[in-house]
Amino acid sequence: MAVAAMAVRTGFGRGGAGLLGAGFAGTPAFAPVTRFDTAGRRTDRAATLPGCPDLAEELTGVVAEVCAGLTAAQRAATPVLLAAHADAANAEVAAAVVAGTGVAGVPRTYTNACVAASTAVADAATVLRTGRAERVVVAAGYLVEPAMFGLFDAGRALARDGRARPFSRGRQGMVLGDGVAAVLLTPDTGSPLATIEGWGRTGDGHHVVKPAPDGSGLARAIGTALERGGVDPAEVGYVNANGTGTEFNDAAEVAALRRVFARAPVPVSSTKSVHGHALEASGLVELVVTVLALGEGRLPVNAGYLGPDPACELDLVLEPRTAAPRYALTLNSAFGGANTALLVGAP
């Protein structure tokens, strides 16, 4: 499956240039939130677009960007799989995207938390492989808002120091971030930006919010993606990790990576360390970053690192690193023990 076009909007603005540059430099977009009152919260930081953007408008914009090269007839035959936070307004958002872009419709909206977008990508691959569509757009969006900010803050999941520090000693939690993205997927194209070679999905069911400490669920998802793509772990040259910067999630993910890559450690970073956690949109934002990095032949930095944690021993990318991996993985995990892995092939 080919990635034919991409569009992204994050706290670094509209487009991938600022996002990728920050990923290589390790410079985060975290700043005080101004679109709602954070008084009384443990932190006031997030990575946000300026002002108070409208989710329907932003999603319409990225879908229009990736469909710019299609004829009206092609757009009218192209479904959109949408990942967004569960909300009564989702039907209105979907209708606005259809009206604003001329696509076939939004047959499904994914709301399964932090694996929503990556699950949609996996389903898009199935749609294409079974010939049910000639092309599929996957779109995802989350804009930082007071309800989820307050919920994660009350649960002490947000970093009090306002920095995401995945796999680092002294990490205090995650930092939320705006993320809106779209990708146009096709069965084949002459010059793709990248390919999706495999995908895996598992549910370990260990705990309502905590991952299985041994990483078994995520390891199975990675193994499934590699098996589906016919790729040996030693062929993978980069992992864009889920890496939220929370104590238990990071340690469990390290356990999963050690299970899969015991014979050949792989370079790892979490780009959430610069663009923040975009919840339902995370999987798509991180897929876009991974594809951009493969195209540049460099690996993004694991920003915010303070020093080693014995529970998180990995080959972390702590400085810009030149590399030309044939394959990369992008990983996501969510509450309830849901895990996804996307195997990305370089163009």
Side-chain angles (χ1 to χ4, degrees), residues 4 24-25 60 110 117 139 150 161 189-190 237 251 279 284 292 308 322 331:
F24 292 149
T60 299
Y110 297 77
D161 64 357
T189 184
L279 301 184
L284 209 59
L292 290 172
T322 300
L331 309 179

Side-chain angles (χ1 to χ4, degrees), residues 42-43 45 158-165 170 172-173 175 306:
R42 298 167 66 250
T43 183
R45 304 281 161 155
L158 298 184
R160 293 192 68 176
D161 64 357
R163 288 294 303 269
R165 305 182 187 278
Q172 298 183 11
V175 182
L306 297 175

Side-chain angles (χ1 to χ4, degrees), residues 198-202 215-233 256-257 259-261 329 331 340-343:
W199 60 94
R201 297 182 285 188
T202 59
S216 55
L218 181 56
R220 289 197 306 274
I222 297 170
T224 300
L226 294 174
E227 182 179 358
R228 183 170 270 125
V231 172
D232 187 88
L257 291 170
R259 280 174 173 258
V260 177
F261 297 101
L329 282 162
L331 309 179
T340 59
L342 300 177
L343 178 64

Side-chain angles (χ1 to χ4, degrees), residues 53-75:
D54 179 78
L55 182 59
E57 291 180 4
E58 298 296 336
L59 282 167
T60 299
V62 292
V63 172
E65 282 186 53
V66 300
C67 291
L70 303 181
T71 66
Q74 288 173 327
R75 288 196 301 273

Side-chain angles (χ1 to χ4, degrees), residues 73-301:
Q74 288 173 327
R75 288 196 301 273
T78 301
V80 175
L81 302 184
L82 176 64
H85 190 64
D87 191 287
N90 280 348
E92 296 175 11
V93 170
V97 170
V98 173
T101 61
V103 294
V106 181
R108 189 174 299 170
T109 299
Y110 297 77
T111 60
N112 49 330
C114 310
V115 298
S118 46
T119 300
V121 171
D123 280 0
T126 301
V127 169
L128 293 172
R129 287 196 173 192
T130 55
R132 285 180 278 169
E134 293 185 7
R135 61 192 64 81
V136 177
V137 170
V138 176
Y142 172 74
L143 299 174
V144 178
E145 36 70 50
M148 295 308 295
F149 191 95
L151 179 65
F152 281 110
D153 181 71
R156 299 182 178 273
L158 298 184
R160 293 192 68 176
D161 64 357
R163 288 294 303 269
R165 305 182 187 278
F167 310 114
S168 171
R169 65 170 169 81
R171 62 189 183 278
Q172 298 183 11
M174 66 183 189
V175 182
L176 294 176
D178 287 349
V180 181
V183 296
L184 175 64
L185 302 172
T186 64
D188 190 20
T189 184
S191 53
L193 300 174
T195 55
I196 307 297
E197 297 292 332
W199 60 94
R201 297 182 285 188
T202 59
D204 54 53
H206 171 74
H207 186 272
V208 67
V209 293
K210 294 180 182 179
D214 63 0
S216 55
L218 181 56
R220 289 197 306 274
I222 297 170
T224 300
L226 294 174
E227 182 179 358
R228 183 170 270 125
V231 172
D232 187 88
E235 297 179 84
V236 177
Y238 171 63
V239 174
N240 191 348
N242 184 55
T244 58
T246 55
E247 180 181 358
F248 295 115
N249 279 296
D250 284 7
E253 186 168 17
V254 170
L257 291 170
R258 286 176 177 170
R259 280 174 173 258
V260 177
F261 297 101
R263 292 185 293 110
V266 62
V268 176
S269 67
S270 169
T271 58
K272 285 186 181 74
S273 62
V274 295
H275 57 66
H277 198 328
L279 301 184
E280 287 82 5
S282 291
L284 209 59
V285 171
E286 290 152 26
L287 173 61
V288 169
V289 177
T290 302
V291 171
L292 290 172
L294 289 176
E296 288 287 326
R298 289 193 288 167
L299 305 183
V301 167

